């Protein structure tokens, strides 16, 4: 196992988070630096992705490295029955870093245990999405000027939403107050509420996405109800449209409040929010490039 792997957001502590945010800021000022000259990075995506894969690949390209990999595992020998272990061991023969998304929770941890090449978890099932968390933290820091003492409202699919799980864990260092807005079927899993209790993180739970909640938030973090995580499609149909944000709901929001969403969205944020000054989700996705450049350098032990 390579100690530079990033499998869970808990692999990095407060000081390192702050250092990575500063590195991301440097990359935002100048994203084109040939720090990866001669390095090859693999992007292995066993699940669909637009932003994560393309921003990681852009990050490598802008740093002068090269990328190999796949975006559809059906075109690889895993469709012939090759195990994840064998796939990782094979790819490790060719590259300096593996960035992997997988539909199974724990897959990134497992991969990191069968190779000495660093692994970055680009999302494993409903578990963790640590690189998304770094860009979320960077977006929060840029828009609020601090990570400390913020009220953050998480809305939608809190059960399967790996981005909100990672975000809670990372924010433990910064004295947040969380609001969890979800229906009972998609509420925050008990393990994350226990995590909050054990780390002194304040939270309240709501089924109503009320004006009181909206108007007292610094960050509203919307999430998609993920059809692909439901075994029963009827249950998905029952809950998919419960929480929708539109521009009229933002009239009395705090001036500093920003709306984040890991994207893709379906209909949880109306199109009329896109031009509202509180909307920040497209900029948030752009921040992914800089945050991921910082994470790639960390994984490869490259000083910036
Ligand atoms: N936020 C995110 O993970 O987006 P993609 O699924 O498009 O990579």
């Amino acid at each position: 196992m390579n100690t530079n792997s990033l499998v869970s957001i808990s692999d990095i502590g407060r000081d390192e988070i702050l250092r990575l945010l500063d590195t991301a800021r440097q990359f935002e000022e100048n994203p084109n630096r040939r720090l990866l000259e001669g390095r090859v990075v693999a992007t292995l995506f066993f699940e669909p992705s637009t932003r994560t894969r393309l921003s990681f690949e852009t990050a490598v390209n802008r740093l002068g490295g090269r990328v190999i990999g796949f975006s559809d595992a059906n075109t690889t020998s895993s469709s012939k029955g090759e195990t994840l272990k064998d796939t990782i061991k094979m790819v490790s023969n060719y590259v300096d870093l593996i960035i992997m998304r997988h539909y199974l929770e724990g897959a990134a941890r497992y991969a990191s245990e069968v190779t000495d090449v660093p692994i970055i978890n680009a999302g494993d099932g409903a578990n963790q999405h640590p690189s998304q968390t770094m860009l979320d933290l960077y977006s929060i820091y840029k828009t609020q000027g601090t990570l400390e003492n913020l009220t953050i409202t998480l809305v939608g699919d809190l059960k399967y939403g790996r981005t909100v799980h990672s975000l809670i864990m990372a924010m433990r260092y910064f004295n947040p107050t969380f609001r969890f807005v979800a229906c009972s079927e998609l509420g925050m899993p008990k393990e994350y509420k226990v995590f909050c209790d054990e780390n002194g993180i304040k939270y309240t739970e709501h089924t109503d996405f009320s004006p009181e909640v909206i108007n007292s938030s610094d960050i509203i973090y919307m999430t998609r109800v993920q059809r692909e995580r439901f075994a029963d499609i009827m249950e998905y149909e029952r809950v998919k449209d419960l929480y929708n944000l539109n521009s009229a709901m933002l009239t009395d929001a705090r001036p500093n409040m920003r709306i984040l969403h890991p994207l893709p969205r379906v209909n949880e944020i109306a199109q009329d929010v896109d031009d509202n000054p509180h909307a920040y989700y497209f900029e948030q996705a752009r921040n992914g490039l800089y945050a991921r450049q910082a994470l790639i350098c960390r994984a490869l032990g490259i000083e910036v």
Side-chain angles (χ1 to χ4, degrees):
M1 179 165 175
N2 190 301
T3 54
N4 286 348
S5 288
L6 178 62
V7 171
S8 161
I9 196 68
S10 10
D11 295 342
I12 46 185
R14 178 193 164 92
D15 291 348
E16 193 163 21
I17 286 174
L18 295 175
R19 266 200 307 278
L20 285 164
L21 295 183
D22 188 56
T23 308
R25 181 192 57 72
Q26 293 177 46
F27 280 126
E28 182 164 8
E29 284 170 9
N30 179 13
N32 300 310
R33 297 172 62 183
R34 303 201 72 74
L35 296 167
L36 294 191
E37 195 87 60
R39 310 287 186 118
V40 181
V41 175
T43 53
L44 311 185
F45 277 66
F46 293 85
E47 252 195 351
S49 166
T50 297
R51 279 145 292 275
T52 309
R53 186 174 66 82
L54 295 181
S55 62
F56 264 123
E57 294 187 356
T58 305
V60 175
N61 286 325
R62 287 193 180 278
L63 294 174
R66 292 183 177 261
V67 179
I68 64 164
F70 54 81
S71 56
D72 177 2
N74 287 324
T75 64
T76 74
S77 288
S78 63
S79 67
K80 303 175 199 164
E82 186 161 55
T83 62
L84 178 61
K85 177 181 177 182
D86 286 2
T87 302
I88 294 297
K89 289 185 92 60
M90 286 308 102
V91 175
S92 299
N93 289 325
Y94 313 135
V95 302
D96 303 294
L97 167 66
I98 295 174
I99 296 163
M100 186 181 93
R101 170 171 288 187
H102 203 281
Y103 48 86
L104 287 179
E105 293 166 33
R109 174 73 62 204
Y110 178 70
S112 75
E113 286 168 359
V114 300
T115 180
D116 291 331
V117 169
I119 300 276
I120 295 181
N121 179 6
D124 61 327
N127 186 32
Q128 286 260 326
H129 195 349
S131 70
Q132 176 73 41
T133 301
M134 281 312 303
L135 76 91
D136 292 343
L137 295 175
Y138 187 50
S139 300
I140 293 169
Y141 188 80
K142 274 177 69 178
T143 60
Q144 307 300 313
T146 181
L147 293 176
E148 304 281 350
N149 307 319
L150 297 171
T151 298
I152 300 177
T153 298
L154 309 176
V155 186
D157 178 357
L158 308 188
K159 178 178 178 185
Y160 300 113
R162 57 194 175 198
T163 65
V164 293
H165 300 161
S166 295
L167 184 60
I168 288 172
M169 295 178 83
M171 285 302 296
R172 82 181 114 159
Y173 304 114
F174 306 108
N175 191 36
T177 300
F178 279 109
R179 271 79 163 277
F180 302 150
V181 180
C183 60
S184 57
E185 292 90 338
L186 295 178
M188 187 57 75
K190 188 166 178 221
E191 71 207 79
Y192 292 100
K193 292 192 276 185
V194 169
F195 179 88
C196 287
D197 293 337
E198 287 176 352
N199 287 277
I201 297 173
K202 302 176 281 300
Y203 68 88
T204 51
E205 294 186 273
H206 311 258
T207 52
D208 190 15
F209 192 22
S210 66
E212 291 71 30
V213 168
I214 292 170
N215 298 341
S216 56
S217 297
D218 298 307
I219 294 289
I220 294 180
Y221 194 104
M222 300 295 294
T223 63
R224 173 177 67 97
V225 177
Q226 302 173 79
R227 189 179 50 196
E228 64 271 28
R229 309 272 179 235
F230 284 78
D232 176 359
I233 198 67
M234 293 307 290
E235 190 184 336
Y236 167 74
E237 290 293 331
R238 214 171 31 248
V239 299
K240 70 182 169 71
D241 290 322
L242 290 179
Y243 299 104
N244 308 102
L245 186 62
N246 62 54
S247 216
M249 296 161 75
L250 301 170
T251 312
D252 296 320
R254 290 178 175 174
N256 64 300
M257 192 278 283
R258 291 295 177 272
I259 301 158
L260 302 185
H261 190 312
L263 303 176
R265 71 172 153 181
V266 183
N267 59 359
E268 56 279 0
I269 301 179
Q271 302 275 337
D272 72 357
V273 179
D274 295 355
D275 296 325
N276 189 295
H278 294 289
Y280 193 74
Y281 29 94
F282 294 126
E283 292 93 334
Q284 177 190 3
R286 188 172 61 231
N287 290 335
L289 169 60
Y290 316 123
R292 288 181 170 123
Q293 287 184 303
L295 288 175
I296 288 167
C297 288
R298 173 193 177 273
L300 289 170
I302 294 171
E303 288 290 326
V304 178

